[in-house]
Amino acid sequence: QTVVTQEPSFSVSPGGTVTLTCGLSSGSVSTSYSPSWYQQTPGQAPRALIYSTNTRSSGVPDRFSGSILGNKAALTITGAQADDESDYYCVLYMGGGANWVFGGGTKLTVL
Amino acid sequence: EVQLVESGGGLVKPGGSLRLSCAASGFTFSTYSMNWVRQAPGKGLEWVSSISSSSSYIYYADSVKGRFTISRDNAKSSLYLQMNSLRAEDTAVYYCARGVGWPYYFDYWGQGTLVTVSS
């Protein structure tokens, strides 16, 4: 079974830039997987950030951007702020039986 | 304002059943797909099930196939998840989420309802 991989944790300095990635245990991520990204703070529901690889969800600041970098999907946060400290999840559409698979999430620390 | 409010969670014994509901408001419910995503305590998100706007297409994760049934009532702007043969590993917060486009992406989420399966 294919696993969606994310860095377990990452840290960034306030004002800095960080790129989180979303890969596959076997194979490369492409736009056909329609990667999307979600932000979740403790005790809260997830919030949609990016869909279809690089389209920002409504109300999401342009500090957040999505792309394909090499063989992975990527979420880049520029000008990191304290309230960006959250868990970030990617999800890939695996096709076939219409199967969406989430990555394990990346815990981002801003310090 | 889009609102999704889940209900129906609680404590249930292994092998038992539970029916979750999600009440939607602030948008034309009948024109959107709807989804259930769960999160076990301290763990990541897991997609559970999806249903198209007219219920024509229904999808399940392998982990719940044959045990869970998703349904909707467009007249009541409500989404449901009937969960049977519950196991300890089904313990999680269950979120309903609105789906947009194809493949669906989940643009709005409810606050979730906790299901605990324990004897």
Side-chain angles (χ1 to χ4, degrees), chain A residues 32 34 36 38 40 43-48 50-51 57-58 89 91 93 97-104, chain B residues 35 37 39 43-47 50 59-62 65 95 102-112:
Chain A
S32 64
S34 198
S36 55
Y38 301 85
Q40 186 182 35
Q44 298 297 313
R47 169 199 180 200
I50 300 287
Y51 65 97
S57 192
S58 176
Y89 293 92
V91 60
Y93 172 67
N99 189 2
W100 287 264
V101 180
F102 282 89
Chain B
N35 310 271
V37 177
Q39 185 170 35
K43 302 297 185 183
L45 299 169
E46 179 188 16
W47 169 76
S50 299
Y59 313 101
Y60 297 101
D62 287 343
K65 202 172 292 183
Y95 296 101
W102 180 262
Y104 307 143
Y105 98 97
F106 315 123
D107 67 341
Y108 284 94
W109 299 60
Q111 285 301 308

Side-chain angles (χ1 to χ4, degrees), chain B residues 19-30:
Chain B
R19 188 195 196 208
L20 306 184
S21 300
C22 172
S25 61
F27 65 100
T28 305
F29 182 76
S30 61

Side-chain angles (χ1 to χ4, degrees), chain A residues 29-76:
Chain A
V29 177
S30 64
T31 56
S32 64
Y33 286 90
S34 198
S36 55
W37 292 87
Y38 301 85
Q39 177 191 48
Q40 186 182 35
T41 53
Q44 298 297 313
R47 169 199 180 200
L49 293 176
I50 300 287
Y51 65 97
S52 297
T53 306
N54 56 13
T55 304
R56 273 184 295 277
S57 192
S58 176
V60 174
D62 58 9
R63 302 188 296 105
F64 294 87
S65 62
S67 64
I68 299 291
L69 286 181
N71 61 351
K72 297 182 179 181
L75 173 71
T76 299

